[in-house]
Amino acid sequence: MNRYEGLNQAIVDQFAPRPGRQALLPELSEKAQVALMCRMLFREGWSEHIAGHITWRLPNGNILTNPWELSWDELTAKDIMTLDEKGKVIDGEWNITPAIGLHIQLHALRPEINVVIHNHAHWSGIWANLQKVPPIYDQAGAYCGEKLPIYNEYTGTFEDEHSTLSAAEALGESKWALLANHGSLVVGENLRQAHLRVITLEWRSKRAWEAEVAGGAQPLPPEEVEKLSRIDDNGFPFCWEAMARRELRADPNLVNDD
């Protein structure tokens, strides 16, 4: 990943370190970036055993994804699988989830979406089971806007082609969704944007649940949420790198391709 790939250049010009400063991350292969993403999001609560899948469509049309057999906190760069645009394995030593069809459908329906992430997340999963949209109570919960659809036509898991197409079409132009009695879904143009959306959704859901347990509170007004949500298009400066460095400190070998 380039030093500031995916960031709005105006933000970089205003806040970036002066030329000559140390790079925020070492050079990382594309597979290493997916492995890092899995580790980072596992720590955020997207961690239901071996459930969940991340896909990242590359400029050449190939798609990187995590293997079926491994949990997100144990896989490394060498475990990441490469698929063609139809979901056929072209590189890798593992299997892929039968539910990969949801991702393939989303990538096909929305050319601007290069990253698709699904898991049975902790905090947003509570709201998915309640079939309610969590209110926004603070700044960190507002970074990616207020609209959060609930896909509530539960038909089981996502192995069936018709159910995956239905879910993909129901998402429409949304950036994320709660899947009723199932889990959470986030899409993005790049890894940085998708990461911000996941961590914002989980933070928003966690704070909303805590407020509910505490007896309720006053959500942020929609106009304030709109002001804060503008950051979503630009990425949060340096957040992806900071969370990636945390995982590299814990396991420097996770990015090794061999």
Side-chain angles (χ1 to χ4, degrees):
M1 175 173 286
N2 295 334
R3 194 172 182 184
Y4 303 122
E5 180 182 342
L7 278 178
N8 182 286
Q9 191 59 46
I11 292 180
V12 173
D13 293 341
Q14 183 176 359
F15 297 111
R18 295 182 298 277
R21 294 288 291 273
Q22 182 176 344
L24 298 176
L25 282 173
E27 289 294 323
L28 298 169
S29 70
E30 291 165 331
K31 288 188 175 183
Q33 292 176 54
V34 176
L36 270 169
M37 191 75 157
C38 289
R39 298 284 189 110
M40 291 152 66
L41 298 188
F42 184 93
R43 191 185 292 264
E44 297 290 338
W46 288 47
S47 55
E48 200 272 285
H49 304 98
I50 62 168
H53 11 99
I54 295 177
T55 53
W56 180 22
R57 179 171 53 194
L58 304 177
N60 66 2
N62 288 343
I63 296 171
L64 300 182
T65 190
N66 58 295
W68 191 13
E69 295 95 332
L70 303 179
S71 64
W72 285 13
D73 65 329
E74 67 172 327
L75 59 81
T76 64
K78 68 177 180 293
D79 298 313
I80 301 301
M81 309 287 290
T82 306
L83 315 177
D84 66 16
E85 61 182 9
K86 301 296 184 181
K88 180 182 178 181
V89 175
I90 57 178
D91 175 60
E93 301 298 324
W94 301 96
N95 294 299
I96 58 170
T97 174
I100 199 70
L102 173 63
H103 295 241
I104 301 303
Q105 298 276 16
L106 279 168
H107 286 304
L109 285 171
R110 295 179 60 179
E112 82 282 7
I113 293 303
N114 296 312
V115 179
V116 181
I117 309 173
H118 166 62
N119 207 313
H120 309 154
H122 184 168
W123 296 103
S124 54
I126 292 174
W127 293 93
N129 289 341
L130 292 171
Q131 298 191 33
K132 294 182 179 180
V133 175
I136 298 174
Y137 289 105
D138 65 0
Q139 173 178 304
Y143 286 147
C144 299
E146 185 171 20
K147 184 179 179 181
L148 176 58
I150 299 175
Y151 176 68
N152 58 9
E153 296 179 13
Y154 190 82
T155 56
T157 54
F158 280 141
E159 289 87 355
D160 179 74
E161 182 178 351
H162 297 293
S163 64
T164 59
L165 180 58
S166 176
E169 290 174 339
L171 185 65
E173 298 302 312
S174 298
K175 63 187 73 174
W176 51 18
L178 299 179
L179 306 177
N181 306 109
H182 188 161
S184 311
L185 179 71
V186 167
V187 300
E189 295 180 17
N190 52 59
L191 292 176
R192 183 194 304 276
Q193 186 185 71
H195 173 260
L196 179 63
R197 291 176 178 181
V198 169
I199 65 176
T200 298
L201 177 59
E202 281 307 286
W203 184 270
R204 168 181 174 176
S205 299
K206 181 176 186 290
R207 281 291 185 258
W209 181 251
E210 292 168 338
E212 290 281 324
V213 171
Q218 183 65 39
L220 279 175
E223 60 271 19
E224 293 303 319
V225 173
E226 175 63 25
K227 293 176 185 176
L228 292 165
S229 69
R230 294 174 185 172
I231 196 171
D232 177 45
D233 292 333
N234 303 326
F236 195 102
F238 320 130
C239 182
W240 198 95
E241 290 83 357
M243 299 303 99
R245 290 195 302 272
R246 174 188 288 169
E247 300 307 324
L248 288 172
R249 289 193 297 271
D251 184 0
N253 295 320
L254 77 92
V255 296
N256 292 342
D257 292 308
D258 48 48

Short mmCIF file of all heavy atoms in Angstrom, two decimals, residues 166-192:
data_model
loop_
_atom_site.label_atom_id
_atom_site.label_comp_id
_atom_site.label_asym_id
_atom_site.label_seq_id
_atom_site.Cartn_x
_atom_site.Cartn_y
_atom_site.Cartn_z
N SER A 166 -30.56 -11.75 -4.29
CA SER A 166 -31.58 -10.96 -3.62
C SER A 166 -30.96 -10.02 -2.59
O SER A 166 -31.32 -8.85 -2.50
CB SER A 166 -32.59 -11.89 -2.94
OG SER A 166 -33.54 -11.15 -2.20
N ALA A 167 -30.02 -10.53 -1.81
CA ALA A 167 -29.36 -9.70 -0.81
C ALA A 167 -28.52 -8.60 -1.46
O ALA A 167 -28.52 -7.45 -1.01
CB ALA A 167 -28.48 -10.56 0.09
N ALA A 168 -27.82 -8.95 -2.52
CA ALA A 168 -26.99 -7.96 -3.21
C ALA A 168 -27.84 -6.85 -3.81
O ALA A 168 -27.50 -5.66 -3.72
CB ALA A 168 -26.17 -8.65 -4.31
N GLU A 169 -28.97 -7.23 -4.41
CA GLU A 169 -29.86 -6.22 -4.99
C GLU A 169 -30.50 -5.36 -3.90
O GLU A 169 -30.71 -4.17 -4.08
CB GLU A 169 -30.92 -6.91 -5.83
CG GLU A 169 -30.37 -7.52 -7.11
CD GLU A 169 -31.42 -8.32 -7.88
OE1 GLU A 169 -32.43 -8.73 -7.24
OE2 GLU A 169 -31.24 -8.54 -9.09
N ALA A 170 -30.81 -5.97 -2.75
CA ALA A 170 -31.45 -5.22 -1.66
C ALA A 170 -30.51 -4.17 -1.10
O ALA A 170 -30.96 -3.13 -0.61
CB ALA A 170 -31.89 -6.18 -0.56
N LEU A 171 -29.21 -4.41 -1.15
CA LEU A 171 -28.25 -3.42 -0.64
C LEU A 171 -28.31 -2.14 -1.43
O LEU A 171 -28.09 -1.05 -0.89
CB LEU A 171 -26.83 -4.00 -0.67
CG LEU A 171 -25.74 -3.14 -0.05
CD1 LEU A 171 -25.94 -2.96 1.44
CD2 LEU A 171 -24.36 -3.72 -0.34
N GLY A 172 -28.67 -2.23 -2.72
CA GLY A 172 -28.76 -1.04 -3.56
C GLY A 172 -27.46 -0.30 -3.64
O GLY A 172 -26.41 -0.87 -3.90
N GLU A 173 -27.51 1.00 -3.35
CA GLU A 173 -26.30 1.84 -3.38
C GLU A 173 -25.72 2.05 -1.99
O GLU A 173 -24.83 2.89 -1.81
CB GLU A 173 -26.65 3.20 -4.00
CG GLU A 173 -27.11 3.12 -5.45
CD GLU A 173 -26.08 2.46 -6.34
OE1 GLU A 173 -24.89 2.84 -6.25
OE2 GLU A 173 -26.45 1.55 -7.11
N SER A 174 -26.20 1.31 -1.00
CA SER A 174 -25.76 1.50 0.37
C SER A 174 -24.31 1.07 0.56
O SER A 174 -23.77 0.24 -0.17
CB SER A 174 -26.65 0.72 1.33
OG SER A 174 -27.98 1.18 1.26
N LYS A 175 -23.70 1.62 1.60
CA LYS A 175 -22.31 1.31 1.93
C LYS A 175 -22.19 0.18 2.94
O LYS A 175 -21.11 -0.36 3.15
CB LYS A 175 -21.61 2.55 2.49
CG LYS A 175 -22.21 3.06 3.79
CD LYS A 175 -21.61 4.38 4.24
CE LYS A 175 -22.09 5.53 3.37
NZ LYS A 175 -21.64 6.85 3.87
N TRP A 176 -23.33 -0.18 3.57
CA TRP A 176 -23.35 -1.22 4.58
C TRP A 176 -24.79 -1.65 4.82
O TRP A 176 -25.72 -1.02 4.32
CB TRP A 176 -22.71 -0.75 5.89
CG TRP A 176 -23.22 0.57 6.43
CD1 TRP A 176 -24.38 1.21 6.09
CD2 TRP A 176 -22.57 1.42 7.38
NE1 TRP A 176 -24.50 2.39 6.79
CE2 TRP A 176 -23.39 2.55 7.58
CE3 TRP A 176 -21.38 1.32 8.09
CZ2 TRP A 176 -23.07 3.57 8.47
CZ3 TRP A 176 -21.06 2.36 8.96
CH2 TRP A 176 -21.88 3.46 9.14
N ALA A 177 -24.96 -2.73 5.59
CA ALA A 177 -26.30 -3.19 5.93
C ALA A 177 -26.22 -4.13 7.11
O ALA A 177 -25.18 -4.77 7.36
CB ALA A 177 -26.95 -3.90 4.74
N LEU A 178 -27.32 -4.20 7.86
CA LEU A 178 -27.50 -5.23 8.85
C LEU A 178 -28.31 -6.35 8.21
O LEU A 178 -29.31 -6.10 7.55
CB LEU A 178 -28.25 -4.69 10.08
CG LEU A 178 -27.58 -3.56 10.85
CD1 LEU A 178 -28.45 -3.12 12.00
CD2 LEU A 178 -26.19 -3.98 11.35
N LEU A 179 -27.88 -7.59 8.38
CA LEU A 179 -28.58 -8.74 7.84
C LEU A 179 -29.35 -9.37 9.00
O LEU A 179 -28.76 -9.91 9.93
CB LEU A 179 -27.58 -9.74 7.25
CG LEU A 179 -26.61 -9.17 6.21
CD1 LEU A 179 -25.64 -10.24 5.75
CD2 LEU A 179 -27.37 -8.57 5.03
N ALA A 180 -30.68 -9.26 8.95
CA ALA A 180 -31.52 -9.67 10.08
C ALA A 180 -31.25 -11.10 10.51
O ALA A 180 -31.19 -12.01 9.69
CB ALA A 180 -33.00 -9.51 9.70
N ASN A 181 -31.06 -11.28 11.82
CA ASN A 181 -30.81 -12.59 12.41
C ASN A 181 -29.61 -13.30 11.80
O ASN A 181 -29.51 -14.52 11.81
CB ASN A 181 -32.05 -13.49 12.28
CG ASN A 181 -33.28 -12.84 12.86
OD1 ASN A 181 -34.19 -12.45 12.12
ND2 ASN A 181 -33.34 -12.71 14.16
N HIS A 182 -28.66 -12.50 11.32
CA HIS A 182 -27.51 -13.09 10.64
C HIS A 182 -26.21 -12.37 10.99
O HIS A 182 -25.36 -12.92 11.66
CB HIS A 182 -27.75 -13.08 9.12
CG HIS A 182 -26.73 -13.84 8.33
ND1 HIS A 182 -26.96 -14.27 7.05
CD2 HIS A 182 -25.48 -14.24 8.63
CE1 HIS A 182 -25.90 -14.91 6.60
NE2 HIS A 182 -24.98 -14.91 7.55
N GLY A 183 -26.04 -11.15 10.52
CA GLY A 183 -24.77 -10.47 10.76
C GLY A 183 -24.72 -9.12 10.10
O GLY A 183 -25.73 -8.44 9.96
N SER A 184 -23.52 -8.74 9.66
CA SER A 184 -23.28 -7.40 9.13
C SER A 184 -22.55 -7.48 7.80
O SER A 184 -21.79 -8.41 7.55
CB SER A 184 -22.46 -6.58 10.13
OG SER A 184 -23.01 -6.66 11.43
N LEU A 185 -22.76 -6.47 6.97
CA LEU A 185 -22.16 -6.42 5.64
C LEU A 185 -21.67 -5.00 5.38
O LEU A 185 -22.41 -4.04 5.61
CB LEU A 185 -23.19 -6.82 4.58
CG LEU A 185 -22.75 -6.79 3.12
CD1 LEU A 185 -21.76 -7.92 2.85
CD2 LEU A 185 -23.95 -6.91 2.19
N VAL A 186 -20.43 -4.88 4.92
CA VAL A 186 -19.85 -3.58 4.59
C VAL A 186 -19.17 -3.68 3.24
O VAL A 186 -18.51 -4.68 2.93
CB VAL A 186 -18.82 -3.15 5.67
CG1 VAL A 186 -17.98 -1.98 5.19
CG2 VAL A 186 -19.53 -2.78 6.96
N VAL A 187 -19.31 -2.64 2.43
CA VAL A 187 -18.62 -2.58 1.14
C VAL A 187 -17.84 -1.27 1.07
O VAL A 187 -18.09 -0.33 1.82
CB VAL A 187 -19.61 -2.67 -0.04
CG1 VAL A 187 -20.38 -3.98 0.01
CG2 VAL A 187 -20.59 -1.48 -0.03
N GLY A 188 -16.88 -1.21 0.14
CA GLY A 188 -16.09 0.00 -0.01
C GLY A 188 -15.29 0.00 -1.29
O GLY A 188 -15.13 -1.05 -1.94
N GLU A 189 -14.79 1.17 -1.64
CA GLU A 189 -13.97 1.28 -2.85
C GLU A 189 -12.58 0.71 -2.63
O GLU A 189 -11.95 0.23 -3.56
CB GLU A 189 -13.87 2.76 -3.27
CG GLU A 189 -15.21 3.36 -3.69
CD GLU A 189 -15.07 4.81 -4.09
OE1 GLU A 189 -13.92 5.26 -4.36
OE2 GLU A 189 -16.08 5.53 -4.13
N ASN A 190 -12.07 0.80 -1.41
CA ASN A 190 -10.72 0.33 -1.10
C ASN A 190 -10.68 -0.16 0.34
O ASN A 190 -11.64 -0.02 1.09
CB ASN A 190 -9.69 1.43 -1.35
CG ASN A 190 -10.06 2.72 -0.65
OD1 ASN A 190 -10.19 2.76 0.57
ND2 ASN A 190 -10.23 3.81 -1.42
N LEU A 191 -9.57 -0.75 0.73
CA LEU A 191 -9.44 -1.32 2.06
C LEU A 191 -9.58 -0.26 3.15
O LEU A 191 -10.23 -0.50 4.18
CB LEU A 191 -8.11 -2.04 2.20
CG LEU A 191 -7.93 -3.32 1.38
CD1 LEU A 191 -6.52 -3.86 1.56
CD2 LEU A 191 -8.95 -4.38 1.76
N ARG A 192 -8.98 0.89 2.94
CA ARG A 192 -9.03 1.94 3.96
C ARG A 192 -10.48 2.38 4.22
O ARG A 192 -10.90 2.52 5.37
CB ARG A 192 -8.20 3.14 3.51
CG ARG A 192 -8.12 4.26 4.54
CD ARG A 192 -7.58 5.55 3.91
NE ARG A 192 -6.29 5.33 3.29
CZ ARG A 192 -5.14 5.37 3.95
NH1 ARG A 192 -5.13 5.59 5.24
NH2 ARG A 192 -4.00 5.20 3.32
#
